């Protein structure tokens, strides 16, 4: 049977991808940020999964605002890096796992969560920046990746509770897959940030750190926090944090082993948060 051995959480700021692609990671502005991911890159090498289920949001790149699935699973064999306006990032094409993705779709839909099946999609910074942070600049990504896109861009967005319960359904799905695969589930986005309007540049360290505490120790309680609290406290784009609850919901009910925790301000106009949790 397949099993989820770990979950990983990280912001996915596009400027981080640009800093990697342009060779700026050792510049004084960026050095403290990338230092926080040194442990993680080593951990990734030492704990390479077969497949990553990578929860992220598309930023009106693949889906535009004409059609917006709440939850969408990538079932294709490959996904190309998207052109977000300045050409695709110079990173490898993402190789998927169509059989596992289709199994997850089957199982999760039969557990009453509606997923959109995506057979062709380019993937934007929401997916590629976390891969770059964890894997550096390889010729090929070190494992297969199933993109799992969540709408946190166009209202209405899913609640934290629904995301957490979806994670549980994903856990059931993966654990009922008939091959001994080692799977990681990643939750991306956040932390506090607002990219537009009078509150542009908003950062809330207290909220972010309380969120990190709670996603580790009390995810059930965090799942009850209404979406409006994220927007009020963490800014309009802080709502991306609900995606972390999908990854957390997919973990076992035992307290996780906290392998790494990192928080840094600023990256671009965003707070960056990062966690690695292993299943006990
Ligand atoms: C920015 C964009 C994002 O999607 C995000 O999650 C954080 C920051 C940005 O444009 O700076
Ligand atoms: Fe984002």
């Amino acid at each position: 049977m397949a099993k989820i051995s770990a979950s990983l959480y990280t912001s996915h700021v596009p400027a981080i991808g640009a800093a990697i692609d342009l060779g700026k990671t050792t510049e004084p502005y960026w050095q403290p940020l990338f230092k926080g991911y040194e442990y993680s890159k080593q951990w990734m090498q030492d704990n390479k999964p077969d497949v990553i289920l990578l929860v992220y949001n598309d930023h009106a790149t693949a889906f535009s605002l004409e059609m917006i699935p709440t939850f969408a699973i990538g079932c294709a064999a490959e996904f190309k890096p998207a052109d977000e306006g300045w050409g695709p990032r110079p990173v490898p094409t993402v190789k998927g796992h169509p059989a596992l993705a289709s199994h997850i779709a089957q199982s999760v839909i039969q557990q009453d969560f509606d997923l959109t099946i995506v057979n062709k999609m380019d993937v934007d910074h929401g997916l590629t920046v976390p891969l770059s942070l964890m894997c550096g600049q390889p010729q090929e990504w070190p494992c297969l990746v199933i993109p799992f896109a969540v709408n946190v861009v166009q209202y209405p967005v899913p609640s934290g509770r629904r995301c957490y319960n979806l994670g549980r359904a994903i856990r059931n799905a993966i654990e009922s897959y008939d091959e001994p695969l080692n799977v990681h589930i990643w939750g991306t986005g956040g932390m506090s940030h607002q990219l537009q309007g009078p509150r542009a540049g908003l950062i809330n360290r207290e909220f972010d750190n309380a969120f990190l505490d709670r996603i580790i120790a009390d995810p059930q309680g965090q799942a009850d926090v209404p979406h409006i609290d994220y927007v009020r406290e963490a800014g309009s784009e802080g709502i991306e944090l609900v995606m972390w609850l999908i990854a957390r919901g997919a973990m076992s009910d035992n307290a996780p082993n906290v392998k790494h925790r990192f928080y840094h301000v600023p990256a671009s106009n965003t707070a960056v948060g990062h966690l690695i949790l292993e299943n006990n």
Side-chain angles (χ1 to χ4, degrees), residues 148-203:
F148 193 101
V150 179
N151 169 41
V152 288
V153 169
Q154 173 70 53
Y155 283 80
V157 297
S159 68
R161 171 60 55 190
R162 185 160 171 76
C163 289
Y164 184 79
N165 289 338
L166 171 61
R168 299 195 133 183
I170 289 171
R171 184 209 309 175
N172 293 336
I174 290 171
E175 288 179 349
S176 63
Y177 188 70
D178 210 9
E179 247 184 72
L181 296 176
N182 176 13
V183 181
H184 287 179
I185 182 162
W186 292 12
T188 76
M191 301 203 84
S192 54
H193 65 299
Q194 170 142 348
L195 299 177
Q196 79 272 286
R199 297 202 307 163
L202 177 144
I203 301 283

Side-chain angles (χ1 to χ4, degrees), residues 14-218:
I16 294 175
I20 295 170
D21 299 344
L22 301 172
K24 296 186 172 182
T25 57
T26 54
E27 288 187 358
Y29 178 86
W30 288 111
Q31 198 270 342
L33 180 279
F34 288 103
K35 197 164 184 311
Y37 285 83
E38 271 169 21
Y39 172 90
S40 317
K41 284 168 78 172
Q42 188 58 49
W43 178 88
M44 186 68 190
Q45 280 184 20
D46 297 342
N47 295 275
K48 195 166 76 69
D50 299 302
V51 188
I52 299 166
L53 182 75
L54 205 158
V55 181
Y56 75 111
N57 66 295
D58 179 76
H59 300 74
T61 305
F63 297 129
S64 86
L65 291 177
E66 291 177 0
M67 198 185 302
I68 305 156
T70 302
F71 300 118
I73 185 162
C75 295
E78 60 176 46
F79 306 88
K80 292 207 170 9
D83 184 348
E84 298 180 59
W86 48 90
R89 291 191 60 215
V91 295
T93 292
V94 171
K95 308 283 187 206
H97 194 312
L100 177 59
S102 301
H103 170 83
I104 293 170
Q106 155 78 21
S107 170
V108 167
I109 290 170
Q110 287 296 319
Q111 292 175 76
D112 301 334
F113 286 90
D114 302 320
L115 303 187
T116 298
I117 311 298
V118 183
N119 292 320
K120 186 172 185 340
M121 174 168 70
D122 292 345
V123 285
D124 76 7
H125 68 270
L127 184 134
T128 63
V129 167
L131 283 175
S132 298
L133 271 169
M134 295 301 299
C135 309
Q137 295 176 290
Q139 284 297 105
E140 298 290 335
W141 296 123
C143 54
L144 304 174
V145 178
I146 299 174
F148 193 101
V150 179
N151 169 41
V152 288
V153 169
Q154 173 70 53
Y155 283 80
V157 297
S159 68
R161 171 60 55 190
R162 185 160 171 76
C163 289
Y164 184 79
N165 289 338
L166 171 61
R168 299 195 133 183
I170 289 171
R171 184 209 309 175
N172 293 336
I174 290 171
E175 288 179 349
S176 63
Y177 188 70
D178 210 9
E179 247 184 72
L181 296 176
N182 176 13
V183 181
H184 287 179
I185 182 162
W186 292 12
T188 76
M191 301 203 84
S192 54
H193 65 299
Q194 170 142 348
L195 299 177
Q196 79 272 286
R199 297 202 307 163
L202 177 144
I203 301 283
N204 185 340
R205 291 169 191 260
E206 208 178 327
F207 177 93
D208 289 340
N209 281 291
F211 180 88
L212 291 170
D213 290 342
R214 228 170 162 201
I215 198 100
I216 296 167
D218 180 25

Side-chain angles (χ1 to χ4, degrees), residues 12-15 59 125 189-190 193 195 240 267-270:
H12 60 213
V13 185
H59 300 74
H125 68 270
H193 65 299
L195 299 177
E240 289 183 340
S268 178
N269 38 22
T270 307

